[in-house]
């Protein structure tokens, strides 16, 4: 399993180097997404995601999660293979960690956004994690409702790397910059 992790890290590094031009290495903060996840009876976690764009094909999401006991981190490199089309489809290369654990868990997946009507959109992702003892799939699906020209209310359902065995509902606010 350590060989798989090393190979994935090297592949991620090579993709980052060879997939973008020199101008693409000036990241811009595209959006911030604050989400509360839980069940109908209790809050499971508070999540804050920052979305950085490099060019029309490369972006990066940094997710910070707090579950009441510890902070967790996840970084996702998104390779958009639809370009500037309205339909957004991404190859997702990500790494997650529990700060107390001090191990990085790599994953590969797909995800995207699709328009629904004139203003609303759906979002989804599914990731397969390597080197985890059970339940390797992490997924999320939801709908975004624009509130203003640069902010959306999001509603979703899914699980997370840190809580793979239970489904949670999420409500959030996403702000674009």
């Amino acid at each position: 399993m350590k060989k798989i992790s090393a190979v994935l890290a090297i592949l991620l590094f090579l993709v980052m180097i060879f997939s973008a031009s020199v101008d693409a290495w000036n990241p811009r903060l595209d959006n911030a997404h604050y989400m509360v996840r839980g069940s109908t009876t209790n809050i499971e976690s508070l999540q804050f995601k920052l979305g950085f764009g490099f060019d029309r094909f490369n972006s990066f999401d940094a997710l910070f999660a707090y579950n009441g006991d510890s902070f967790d981190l996840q970084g996702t490199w998104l390779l958009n293979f639809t370009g500037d089309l309205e339909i957004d489809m991404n190859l997702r290369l990500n790494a997650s960690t529990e700060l107390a654990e001090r191990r990085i868990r790599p994953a590969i997946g797909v995800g995207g956004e699709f328009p629904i009507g004139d203003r609303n959109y759906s979002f989804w992702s599914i990731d397969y994690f390597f080197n985890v003892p059970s339940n390797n799939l992490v997924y999320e699906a939801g709908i975004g409702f624009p509130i203003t020209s640069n902010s959306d209310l999001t509603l979703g359902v899914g699980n997370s790397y840190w809580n793979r065995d239970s489904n949670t509902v999420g409500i959030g606010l996403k702000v674009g910059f």
Side-chain angles (χ1 to χ4, degrees), residues 34-38 42-48 64-72 98-100 160 162-163:
Y34 179 76
M35 185 173 283
V36 178
R37 298 188 70 92
N42 62 356
I43 294 175
E44 298 284 330
S45 68
L46 304 174
Q47 297 181 349
F48 183 65
F64 306 92
Y66 179 69
N67 65 6
D69 295 326
S70 64
F71 285 97
D72 302 317
E98 297 178 37
L99 289 180
S160 68
W162 307 283
N163 194 3

Side-chain angles (χ1 to χ4, degrees), residues 13 39 43 94 128 172 174:
F13 181 71
S39 64
I43 294 175
N94 71 57
Y128 177 82
K174 183 176 183 179

Side-chain angles (χ1 to χ4, degrees), residues 20-159:
S21 66
V22 173
D23 292 335
W25 295 107
N26 296 321
R28 66 187 180 285
L29 181 61
D30 287 339
N31 60 63
H33 190 182
Y34 179 76
M35 185 173 283
V36 178
R37 298 188 70 92
S39 64
T40 56
T41 57
N42 62 356
I43 294 175
E44 298 284 330
S45 68
L46 304 174
Q47 297 181 349
F48 183 65
K49 184 188 299 184
L50 295 173
F52 297 92
F54 291 93
D55 60 18
R56 65 184 186 165
F57 296 107
N58 295 288
S59 58
F60 182 80
D61 286 346
L63 175 67
F64 306 92
Y66 179 69
N67 65 6
D69 295 326
S70 64
F71 285 97
D72 302 317
L73 301 172
Q74 179 175 333
T76 306
W77 193 268
L78 303 165
L79 299 169
N80 187 345
F81 50 87
T82 56
D84 287 333
L85 301 176
E86 280 190 34
I87 297 173
D88 182 21
M89 294 285 296
N90 299 305
L91 174 66
R92 299 168 49 87
L93 305 171
N94 71 57
S96 298
T97 185
E98 297 178 37
L99 289 180
E101 184 181 271
R102 296 185 185 186
R103 281 189 296 224
I104 294 176
R105 302 293 186 166
I108 189 166
V110 293
E113 289 184 7
F114 296 99
I116 300 175
D118 291 336
R119 298 185 56 205
N120 302 332
Y121 61 92
S122 66
F123 57 91
W124 64 277
S125 67
I126 186 166
D127 298 318
Y128 177 82
F129 278 85
F130 304 97
N131 301 339
V132 293
S134 65
N135 197 8
N136 298 48
L137 292 178
V138 172
Y139 65 92
E140 181 180 25
I143 299 176
F145 304 97
I147 300 170
T148 65
S149 62
N150 70 335
S151 63
D152 305 333
L153 173 69
T154 60
L155 300 172
V157 64
N159 63 356

